[in-house]
Amino acid sequence: MSAIDVRQIVKRFGDFTAVKGISFAVEEGEIFGLLGPNGAGKSTLIRMMTTLLPPTSGTAVIHGHDIVTDPDRVRRSIGVIPQAMTSDLELSVEENLLIFAKLYGVSRERRRALIAELLEAVELTAWADKQVKNLSGGMRRRVEIARGLVHEPRIFFLDEPTTGLDPVSRVAVWEMLRAIKRQRELTVLITTHYMDEADKLCDRIAIVDHGELKALDSPLKLKASIPGTNTLEVSFGGAPPGWGRALERLPGVERIVEHDHVFRISSDNGPASASALMELSARAGVDVQSLSIQSTTLDDVFVHYAGRALRDALQEAPATDFTFMRNR
């Protein structure tokens, strides 16, 4: 049985359909990413999975419990960390965890050991008696994560867990999440706007747009699924007239855009195109002043599946001096 099984779930608000029959499954032990632009429906989807919002039709089964027919057991099996930090600033770190443990009915004997374990896991043991208002943003986020684990859930939902944190704190949270997931055998579903975060953390990623599931696979396979796997950015000294047409004939080249004497070359085989480009330039006596190769990123995947209208508009705009397109 999957840890999360979303089955043709739909949510309508009057005449507006926010989620349009989405289905997917998250396996036990996965870190699963849910990506989408603002207004895509992912927040509504999360709220349904965590029983905060009833679906119009369809359902989801969370750790074996149906969100429609058995919401109480769903709530006891999940931990939810919202984007906004909600810990009480006037209470100590330990007191924040203690209140939640009592609310979830954790026994007194278990509370003491569990809170100590969680504080150690998030590296806040030395700060247990300090007021939360005295902590940095990254430390406060770690308090939130520990608090969400006081009832020992099996499935963890995190909404934008590193928003507003500096790069060092973000990486620290990533490492901590990996360690806690491994130690506690958690399944994690995460939403994020940071593509590097999704790429590094997630085993699989679902991309949602306009209430529909647009793509679902591992980051590596998603990046391999879109055309133009490499972009070469190159500037030349002494390029002759018609140089763009010569570059168009290089192996693997699909599209060339030139602007302000810099050529951006889309290629399905970056190394082969770069090697041929250097050979052509040497034969023609053209100086290669700079050359960089950019591989396909998760940002490219996101734009491909969730930003097609914007991408098409940008490509149609007359922002370049001239564009060469290979006919295939």
Side-chain angles (χ1 to χ4, degrees):
M1 182 182 296
S2 300
I4 300 172
D5 187 6
V6 179
R7 303 172 179 175
Q8 289 296 315
I9 201 165
V10 174
K11 185 60 183 180
R12 298 188 185 92
F13 298 95
D15 295 332
F16 174 68
T17 303
V19 177
K20 305 173 182 177
I22 287 178
S23 297
F24 63 86
V26 180
E27 301 306 317
E28 293 277 357
E30 271 194 305
I31 298 182
F32 187 90
L34 187 63
L35 307 183
N38 293 333
K42 64 181 186 301
S43 295
T44 301
L45 184 56
I46 289 284
R47 294 182 70 196
M48 288 191 288
M49 286 190 286
T50 56
T51 75
L52 296 176
L53 195 65
T56 303
S57 64
T59 191
V61 177
I62 312 294
H63 195 54
H65 308 298
D66 193 294
I67 63 170
V68 175
T69 62
D70 201 3
D72 287 341
R73 290 195 178 185
V74 171
R75 294 181 193 121
R76 299 197 70 87
S77 65
I78 65 174
V80 181
I81 307 300
Q83 179 177 342
M85 296 193 193
T86 57
S87 295
D88 192 314
L89 299 179
E90 299 302 321
L91 297 180
S92 71
V93 172
E94 188 173 23
E95 287 168 339
N96 270 279
L97 271 61
L98 183 60
I99 287 175
F100 265 66
K102 289 180 178 180
L103 288 173
Y104 275 104
V106 180
S107 68
R108 179 175 299 184
E109 295 77 12
R110 182 60 184 143
R111 284 199 303 259
R112 184 174 302 166
L114 180 60
I115 290 174
E117 291 172 10
L118 289 171
L119 289 175
E120 183 178 357
V122 298
E123 300 179 358
L124 288 176
T125 301
W127 295 81
D129 61 346
K130 304 297 188 296
Q131 288 179 298
V132 171
K133 67 181 180 182
N134 295 321
L135 305 185
S136 67
M139 295 169 75
R140 285 183 60 191
R141 179 58 71 187
R142 282 146 56 189
V143 173
E144 304 274 326
I145 291 171
R147 193 185 65 178
L149 294 169
V150 293
H151 59 300
E152 300 182 277
R154 298 303 306 275
I155 300 172
F156 212 22
F157 291 85
L158 298 106
D159 186 13
E160 307 283 348
T162 62
T163 295
L165 301 185
D166 63 81
V168 173
S169 297
R170 287 178 61 210
V171 172
V173 169
W174 297 349
E175 295 303 320
M176 186 192 64
L177 283 174
R178 289 193 191 98
I180 290 175
K181 194 271 289 189
R182 183 175 60 254
Q183 294 162 4
R184 297 186 171 272
E185 299 180 348
L186 290 171
T187 301
V188 178
L189 189 147
I190 183 173
T191 71
T192 180
H193 279 110
Y194 296 119
M195 296 299 107
D196 60 333
E197 183 165 88
D199 203 353
K200 290 178 172 66
L201 276 180
C202 298
D203 300 302
R204 288 191 302 149
I205 292 170
I207 297 176
V208 176
D209 191 26
H210 293 94
E212 299 176 344
L213 183 65
K214 298 296 186 180
L216 195 166
D217 217 321
S218 69
L220 185 63
K221 289 183 178 179
L222 284 174
K223 285 183 280 190
S225 72
I226 66 171
T229 55
N230 298 105
T231 299
L232 284 68
E233 188 168 281
V234 57
S235 62
F236 300 93
W243 186 239
R245 297 292 180 187
L247 296 177
E248 184 192 15
R249 294 189 289 271
L250 296 176
V253 170
E254 296 182 331
R255 186 171 185 266
I256 300 177
V257 176
E258 188 273 343
H259 180 65
D260 198 22
H261 307 295
V262 175
F263 290 78
R264 290 180 58 85
I265 303 171
S266 297
S267 169
D268 61 12
N269 189 335
S273 297
S275 177
L277 181 150
M278 297 301 292
E279 293 177 2
L280 174 65
S281 300
R283 291 197 305 270
V286 174
D287 181 33
V288 178
Q289 296 178 330
S290 66
L291 171 64
S292 65
I293 303 176
Q294 303 169 6
S295 298
T296 299
T297 66
L298 210 54
D299 294 85
D300 300 320
V301 173
F302 186 81
V303 170
H304 179 80
Y305 287 109
R308 184 165 302 180
L310 173 62
R311 189 185 67 252
D312 290 346
L314 290 173
Q315 288 181 350
E316 292 170 4
T320 60
D321 293 336
F322 53 88
T323 301
F324 302 94
M325 180 75 77
R326 171 173 288 184
N327 295 321
R328 290 192 173 185

